[in-house]
Amino acid sequence: MQQGFDVVIIGAGPAGSSAAILLARAGWSVALVEKQRFPRRKVCGECVAASNLPLLDALGIGRAFADAAGAPLRRMALMHAGEQVVADLPAAMDAAHPWGRALGREVLDSLLLDQARRSGAVIFQPWLVQAIEGGPGDWQLQLRKAETSESCSLEARVAIAAHGSWEALPSERDEARAMRRPSDLLAFKANFRHARLDQGLLPVLALEGGYGGMVVGDDGITTLACCIRRDRLDAARRERPGLAAGEVVERWLRRQCLGVDAALSSAQREGAWLASGPLRPGVRLAASDRLLRIGNAAGEAHPIVGEGMSMALQSAWLLCARLLAAGSATEAASADRHARIAAGYAADWRHHFRQRLFIAASFAQAASRPASARLLMTIAQRLPALLTVGARWSSKDRSAIDAASIRRMTPTAAWHDRPTTTPS
Ligand SMILES: Cc1cc2nc3c(=O)[nH]c(=O)nc-3n(C[C@H](O)[C@H](O)[C@H](O)COP(=O)(O)OP(=O)(O)OC[C@H]3O[C@@H](n4cnc5c(N)ncnc54)[C@H](O)[C@@H]3O)c2cc1C
C-alpha cells in the first residue's frame, strides 16, 4: 500500500492534531500518524492554560472541552515541606476565557483527534513512523502497524514532526540514547479519586530534588504529576527495595510535602502510576529544519509552569499560518519557500516561547533545591503577589496567536462552538 498526501504529521498529541485540523480544513490532504491507540493516559499535569481556550473554540472542540473539564483555575499555591502560600492566577486577556482548566489527556487528545478526522485528515492509528527519507516536496515515510508486522509507505510534500519528546524518531535515536545522568529528571503522574484538594486551586510543589503539581480535573479526578532527579529516585528506591517506582514516588511526595499528604489522606488511586523521561528541556528546532517541528518535538520548557500544551497548540498554529500563507502544499514545499517558512517559523517560535523556557528553567532550579526553595517560600509569604507576577511572566495570561490570526486561519470556524457563558 502506498499513498500520497500534501502533508504527513507524525504524532497526534495536541500539536499534531491541531495542525491536522487547520491544514485539512484549508483543503490540504493530510495524513496523521499516531502509534498509540486512544484513549490513552499520558504523563502530564493536565492543566490547559486559559490562553489556549480560544484556539480550542476555533478548532471546534471548545464546547466539549468546557463540558468535560474541571473547575476554572483562579488561584495557585506554592507548597514546600509543611507550608503553603496561595495567590491569584492572572486572568487571561480573552474576557470569555479568563481561567485555565484541567482535563485528562485521555479525553483532550481524543477530542482533538476525532476533530482532525471530522475535518478530513486520514488517521493512521495505531501506526508507527519507522523511517523518513527524502526532503521537502518528496518525503517518503515507512510505517509499521503496532503489534503486527503489517507495513506501508506514505509520500508527502511536507512532513511535520509532532512526536513529542519521549519517543525519538528513528533517525534521532542515537542522540536520544545519551548517557544516563544523576541529574536527569524523570516524570511521574497518577490520578486519584476523593482527594482533598480545592477545585480551582493549582498547587505547585517545591520538592528536594524535583518539583510537581496537583489539580482537580474532569469528573472530580485529581492529577498529581512530578519530576524527580534520577539520583533522588535511586536513593528512595534503595530505602524501599521491591516497591514499584511509582509507589516509591508517592511515598516520597507525601513525606516531602504535607500538602500532598493531606490531599491524598482519603484518596484512592485510579490506575497505575505512569512514568516517562528523562526530560530534556530546551530548543530542538532550527531555522534550517527540513522536517518541520511542532510541540515538544520543537522544544520544551520545564513543566513546572504547565505551559507545554500551550506551546504545543500555539506552535502548531504558528507553523500552519506560515504554511497556509504559501497558498498550496506544492508552493510551500518548493525549495526557496520551504526554507523561508522554516526560518520564519523558527524565529516566531523563539520570539514567543524563549521567555517561557527561561522562566520555567529558573523556577525549576529554585524549587528543587532546599536552600532556594526555602528562600522562594519566604519571599512568597511576604509578597504572594509575586507568584501572580511569575505566572504572568510564564505567559499564563496571553497567547502567541491573537484573535485576528485565529479568524484569518479559521474563517469558517465553528464560532458557535464557543461556550456562551464562563463562570465568573
Ligand atoms: C510531569 C509533567 C507535567 C506536565 N504538566 C503539564 C500541564 O499541566 N500543562 C501543560 O500544558 N503541559 C504539561 N506538561 C507538558 C505536556 O505534557 C507536553 O508539553 C505536551 O504533551 C506536548 O504535546 P505534543 O503534542 O508536542 O506531544 P505529545 O503530547 O507527547 O504527543 C506526541 C504523540 O506522538 C506519538 N508518537 C511518538 N512517536 C511516534 C512515531 N514514531 N510514530 C507515530 N506516532 C508517534 C505519541 O504516541 C504521542 O501520542 C507536563 C509534562 C510533564 C512531563
Side-chain angles (χ1 to χ4, degrees), residues 46-71:
E46 315 200 303
C47 293
V48 180
S51 58
N52 301 297
L53 304 192
L55 303 183
L56 298 185
D57 283 349
L59 293 173
I61 66 155
R63 183 173 298 279
F65 176 86
D67 289 345

Side-chain angles (χ1 to χ4, degrees), residues 27-341:
W28 287 36
S29 60
V30 177
L32 176 59
V33 188
E34 169 55 52
K35 67 179 200 173
Q36 289 187 279
R37 292 180 197 277
F38 283 10
R40 56 102 174 80
R41 297 174 67 221
K42 187 165 177 67
V43 177
C44 182
E46 315 200 303
C47 293
V48 180
S51 58
N52 301 297
L53 304 192
L55 303 183
L56 298 185
D57 283 349
L59 293 173
I61 66 155
R63 183 173 298 279
F65 176 86
D67 289 345
L73 298 167
R74 294 159 185 271
R75 291 171 308 136
M76 65 175 293
L78 178 64
M79 292 184 172
H80 173 60
E83 297 175 299
Q84 78 164 36
V85 178
V86 177
D88 290 335
L89 276 165
M93 286 168 178
D94 184 326
H97 293 303
W99 313 111
R101 299 171 70 174
L103 181 61
R105 293 292 298 268
E106 52 273 51
V107 182
L108 177 66
D109 291 23
S110 299
L111 285 175
L112 283 164
L113 179 64
D114 288 347
Q115 187 68 344
R117 187 180 286 113
R118 276 196 294 273
S119 304
V122 178
I123 314 295
F124 290 79
Q125 185 185 34
W127 284 84
L128 167 79
V129 173
Q130 284 201 297
I132 309 172
E133 284 169 7
D138 185 23
W139 288 104
Q140 299 104 43
L141 291 90
Q142 300 301 322
L143 273 58
R144 184 175 56 75
K145 192 167 189 183
E147 302 141 24
T148 72
S149 55
E150 205 179 324
S151 64
C152 77
S153 52
L154 303 182
E155 291 177 354
R157 294 186 172 87
V158 174
I160 300 179
H163 58 286
S165 46
W166 311 122
E167 299 117 315
L169 288 176
S171 55
E172 299 167 331
R173 288 217 174 112
D174 287 345
E175 200 186 319
R177 265 187 226 117
M179 241 174 40
R180 286 160 63 103
R181 291 185 293 241
S183 59
D184 282 344
L185 278 179
L186 305 172
F188 287 83
K189 164 247 177 98
N191 297 110
F192 296 86
R193 212 171 261 286
H194 310 305
R196 289 193 184 151
L197 185 63
D198 284 356
Q199 301 213 5
L201 179 69
L202 177 56
V204 176
L205 318 172
L207 308 162
E208 192 182 329
Y211 54 80
M214 293 189 283
V215 73
V216 184
D218 44 307
D219 203 20
I221 302 271
T222 294
T223 299
L224 171 57
C226 72
C227 294
I228 176 171
R229 277 175 61 113
R230 191 189 291 281
D231 51 3
R232 290 296 301 143
L233 178 63
D234 289 346
R237 293 197 77 176
R238 278 195 297 274
E239 285 173 24
R240 298 262 172 194
L243 216 57
E247 306 283 350
V248 170
V249 166
E250 187 173 325
R251 281 161 199 261
W252 175 75
L253 285 165
R254 294 183 74 150
R255 204 175 56 220
Q256 284 260 321
C257 182
L258 292 189
V260 175
D261 194 44
L264 298 190
S265 58
S266 56
Q268 284 159 4
R269 200 176 71 227
E270 291 235 323
W273 274 91
L274 301 182
S276 33
L279 223 67
R280 296 273 183 256
V283 183
R284 291 188 249 279
L285 91 173
S288 56
D289 279 344
R290 287 152 53 84
L291 179 62
L292 302 165
R293 294 165 169 271
I294 54 177
N296 276 25
E300 178 175 10
H302 275 274
I304 192 165
V305 294
E307 279 294 304
M309 284 190 279
S310 306
M311 290 168 58
L313 287 157
Q314 293 168 30
S315 62
W317 282 71
L318 290 173
L319 176 61
C320 290
R322 297 236 166 221
L323 289 171
L324 294 176
S328 71
T330 310
E331 181 57 26
S334 66
D336 279 5
R337 190 67 189 244
H338 194 278
R340 272 186 282 136
I341 288 171

